[in-house]
Amino acid sequence: DRPTVVDLLAGVVLCEDNDEYDEIKDYVLGIILAAGKPLFSQSMPSQGAPTCDHQSLHHLLFPEILYFRLEAAAIDNTSIIPIKSSEAYTIDPVLDRAFMEELDTNDHLARYIPEKIVVTKLFLRGTSSVAAAVQVDGRDMFCKARGLFDTSEGREVEHLGKMLRAFPQQGTLRVPQLLGYIYHKDTKQVLGFLRQWVPGRRLSEIDVANTTAETRRKWVSQIRESIQLLHKQGLVWGDGKPSNIIIDERDDAWLIDFGGGFTDGWVDKELAETTEGDEQALAKITKLLSGDNVLVFSS
C-alpha cells in the first residue's frame, strides 16, 4: 500500500533524531498546506481588511476558529474538507484552571472581561499573547493578555502586584502601576493584566547624542533611584536595557517590562534576574547616557 500522511505523522511520533523529525514534519506540513491552499486562501483576510485597532480585546484573544478534516488516502491524494466545530476534536487552553492556584493576584484590584476592553494600538499579537494600548471605561491603559502561569507575563504581573503593595501611592516609583486583571467571564481564568499607560518613547529610540547633558543626568538619577527602591523591597528589574525604559512626555524615565530574562550586551546570562544583573545594566546605561560612546542597541 502507498504511505499516507497519517503514516508519516506516526513516524514523527516515533522519531528520535531531531533532524529527521524536522524533515518529516516540514514535509507533512507542506503536503497539508498544498492540499488546503484554495480553502486557506479564501479564509485569509484581504490586504485591505481593517486593522485590529479599536476592536475589543476579545476579538484578538478569541478569533473565529475554522475547522477542517484531513483526508489522505495517499500522499499524492490528500484533501482538506471543511467541517463543523461539533465534528472536531479540540483542546481549549482557556479551560485549564490548574495554574490559578499558583498565580499570586491582588484581590482588591478590579477585574475586566476582554469584551469590555477596546484596543487602541496593537504592539504584539502572537499565538498565545497580545500586548496593546487599550481603553477601559474611557481610561487609557496598557495590557498584556493570554496565558500567565509559568511565563514572563506571569512573572511580570506578580512583580507589579508586589510593587503595588510596597508603593501604593502612584508616583512614588517610576514603574507603571498595576491597575487590574483581565479574566474569562465563564471560567474566571485570569487571561492577563492591565497597567498604567505611560505615553512616550523608549530610550533606545532617542538620539542620546543630541540630548542635553542635564537631561541625560536626570535620566541616570531617576533610573538609579527606581532600581534602588526596587532592591530595597527585594524586587528585581530583570531585563535591564534601554528598550525597557520609557521617557515620558515630561522627560522622566520609567522602567518597564518585568518579565525577566536577559539581553546580550546589557546583562550577562549568569546574572539574569538578579540585583547584580540590574547593577550591570545600570552601569552600561549610565555609560551610554554619559555621552562618551556610541552604542548600537539590542532589543
Side-chain angles (χ1 to χ4, degrees):
D1 293 339
R2 291 181 297 173
T4 67
V5 173
V6 175
D7 295 328
L8 291 175
L9 289 173
V12 169
V13 173
L14 299 174
C15 184
E16 297 181 358
D17 181 87
N18 290 335
D19 291 337
E20 184 181 358
Y21 172 89
D22 290 336
E23 183 178 347
I24 298 175
K25 182 186 66 175
D26 292 342
Y27 180 56
V28 170
L29 181 60
I31 294 173
I32 294 173
L33 291 177
K37 186 175 180 179
L39 282 171
F40 299 157
S41 298
Q42 294 173 16
S43 303
M44 292 291 289
S46 64
Q47 291 184 350
T51 65
C52 295
D53 295 350
H54 301 286
Q55 295 181 346
S56 76
L57 182 62
H58 183 271
H59 177 83
L60 297 180
L61 292 180
F62 306 103
E64 179 186 4
I65 300 175
L66 304 177
Y67 299 91
F68 302 93
R69 181 173 67 247
L70 175 67
E71 293 191 349
I75 291 176
D76 58 354
N77 186 22
T78 299
S79 59
I80 301 292
I81 309 297
I83 61 174
K84 298 178 181 179
S85 60
S86 58
E87 301 176 65
Y89 175 75
T90 61
I91 300 176
D92 187 351
V94 168
L95 299 179
D96 179 12
R97 304 186 196 181
F99 73 86
M100 288 298 293
E101 298 177 0
E102 302 292 337
L103 193 63
D104 181 19
T105 57
N106 189 324
D107 294 336
H108 300 293
L109 287 179
R111 299 189 176 219
Y112 303 90
I113 58 174
E115 290 89 339
K116 299 295 185 181
I117 300 172
V118 177
V119 174
T120 56
K121 186 174 182 180
L122 183 64
F123 298 112
L124 171 69
R125 183 185 184 186
T127 56
S128 61
S129 61
V130 169
V134 299
Q135 277 200 339
V136 183
D137 295 333
R139 182 179 179 185
D140 291 328
M141 299 185 189
F142 177 85
C143 85
K144 286 187 179 181
R146 196 68 185 269
L148 293 182
F149 177 60
D150 200 25
T151 64
S152 62
E153 289 82 4
R155 179 189 190 277
E156 182 165 18
V157 71
E158 290 191 337
H159 273 59
L160 290 176
K162 292 175 182 177
M163 291 176 209
L164 182 61
R165 296 183 187 101
F167 307 99
Q169 295 298 320
Q170 202 169 64
T172 307
L173 177 71
R174 286 187 195 83
V175 168
Q177 196 171 62
L178 182 64
L179 299 175
Y181 303 102
I182 305 162
Y183 75 101
H184 192 279
K185 64 180 179 181
D186 296 324
T187 67
K188 310 306 178 186
Q189 174 180 327
V190 176
L191 301 172
F193 66 90
L194 296 156
R195 67 157 172 80
Q196 180 184 0
W197 170 248
V198 180
R201 292 184 296 164
R202 295 176 186 267
L203 179 57
S204 57
E205 300 169 345
I206 292 176
D207 185 357
V208 173
N210 289 322
T211 303
T212 66
E214 180 182 3
T215 298
R216 287 185 274 120
R217 283 194 294 270
K218 180 180 79 167
W219 292 346
V220 169
S221 176
Q222 290 177 337
I223 295 165
R224 179 183 295 111
E225 179 187 29
S226 295
I227 290 174
Q228 289 174 345
L229 287 171
L230 289 174
H231 289 181
K232 286 180 181 178
Q233 297 296 325
L235 299 169
V236 173
W237 184 12
D239 190 12
K241 57 184 176 181
S243 60
N244 283 341
I245 298 169
I246 294 292
I247 305 301
D248 71 10
E249 296 170 338
R250 296 184 178 182
D251 264 347
D252 289 325
W254 295 67
L255 306 187
I256 63 168
D257 196 343
F258 290 81
F262 72 99
T263 299
D264 285 332
W266 298 103
V267 178
D268 294 340
K269 182 177 181 179
E270 60 270 19
L271 298 180
E273 302 177 23
T274 66
T275 55
E276 293 80 6
D278 283 357
E279 294 294 342
Q280 183 182 52
L282 174 61
K284 294 187 177 185
I285 293 167
T286 299
K287 184 178 180 181
L288 163 70
L289 292 174
S290 70
D292 295 336
N293 62 325
V294 177
L295 293 180
V296 176
F297 289 107
S298 301
S299 59

